[in-house]
Amino acid sequence: MKKIIWSYIIRLQTNKMVDNIDINRENNIIFNQEKMSKQHTQLDTQSLTTLIFLMESSHEIFKEITVHLSKFGLSVAKVKVLQTLFSEEKPMMPSELAKNSGVSRSTMTGLLDGLERDGLIYKGEGDDRRITLISISEAGVNLMNTLQPYYAALADKITSDVTKEEQDLLAQLLVKLKRSLEGQKG
């Protein structure tokens, strides 16, 4: 049964007719949901449809944000690291930074090297010379002070068709979905 669901998702992803979700695309997915539910009465096709819309929306949002961040020479991962350092206002070990930024340890090394090369962070030693501490530089602080209002305006633009109440509900639902996924890992 899982093979059927995954082949359906893959087919929908590889046969993408348009880049953005539009009414025809939504109707097509809903039609396919109805067709699939008739063929496989034991499947919960609503959850599949919801997941497809979520994946497509997430992909579109990520693409939009990536385009805007590239104007600053940044990636989403680099912003996560800078935001963490900016918010914490204290030097952090790379492992601690990886955990707080939601970035894997293996990815962190390359990110830190790039951010240091760009002059946005600097590496220092802790009390124990074996410990490296990462701090945001003055250039990094200035960039974050510029980026935050820009990023907030971009978020407003992306969510402009969604009311504040709907945004609150969506945030609650996404947190619930994330907890569900985390619960399945453990």
Side-chain angles (χ1 to χ4, degrees):
M1 204 50 54
K2 286 183 180 180
K3 284 183 179 180
I4 294 170
I5 293 171
W6 284 114
S7 67
Y8 185 73
I9 291 172
I10 291 167
R11 193 169 67 242
L12 283 172
Q13 290 299 312
T14 56
N15 292 334
K16 237 179 187 178
M17 295 179 288
V18 292
D19 222 12
N20 295 317
I21 298 174
D22 62 18
I23 299 301
N24 292 333
R25 178 86 170 116
E26 290 176 20
N27 288 338
N28 187 33
I29 290 173
I30 291 168
F31 171 76
N32 286 335
Q33 173 191 350
E34 291 170 3
K35 182 178 175 185
M36 192 173 179
S37 65
K38 288 177 185 173
Q39 292 173 338
H40 308 283
T41 56
Q42 73 281 13
L43 294 179
D44 179 4
T45 55
Q46 179 61 45
S47 61
L48 180 59
T49 301
T50 301
L51 182 63
I52 290 167
F53 284 140
L54 180 60
M55 289 185 322
E56 288 184 345
S57 297
S58 296
H59 179 72
E60 292 301 320
I61 291 168
F62 189 82
K63 279 186 356 186
E64 181 75 12
I65 289 171
T66 299
V67 166
H68 287 274
L69 289 179
S70 68
K71 296 173 185 176
F72 294 91
L74 295 171
S75 65
V76 172
K78 284 183 177 180
V79 170
K80 285 180 177 182
V81 172
L82 288 173
Q83 182 61 47
T84 301
L85 288 168
F86 186 74
S87 298
E88 292 292 324
E89 298 180 340
K90 66 177 179 125
M92 299 176 76
M93 294 184 304
S95 59
E96 179 184 26
L97 190 54
K99 182 180 177 187
N100 290 355
S101 302
V103 176
S104 71
R105 284 181 168 194
S106 58
T107 301
M108 185 56 66
T109 302
L111 290 173
L112 294 177
D113 289 345
L115 289 167
E116 184 178 37
R117 189 174 42 252
D118 295 340
L120 301 174
I121 63 161
Y122 57 91
K123 297 176 183 176
E125 293 178 353
D127 295 336
D128 181 342
R129 289 185 354 182
R130 294 173 293 174
I131 296 176
T132 300
L133 293 176
I134 310 300
S135 299
I136 191 167
S137 68
E138 187 175 334
V141 169
N142 292 338
L143 177 62
M144 290 308 295
N145 283 329
T146 300
L147 187 60
Q148 285 186 325
Y150 181 85
Y151 210 58
L154 178 59
D156 285 344
K157 178 185 164 198
I158 290 171
T159 59
S160 64
D161 290 340
V162 183
T163 68
K164 295 298 179 194
E165 293 79 18
E166 290 169 332
Q167 289 178 41
D168 287 342
L169 178 59
L170 179 59
Q172 290 171 23
L173 294 172
L174 290 172
V175 166
K176 191 173 184 179
L177 182 61
K178 184 178 178 192
R179 285 186 186 141
S180 174
L181 288 168
E182 289 169 353
Q184 292 174 20
K185 290 178 186 176

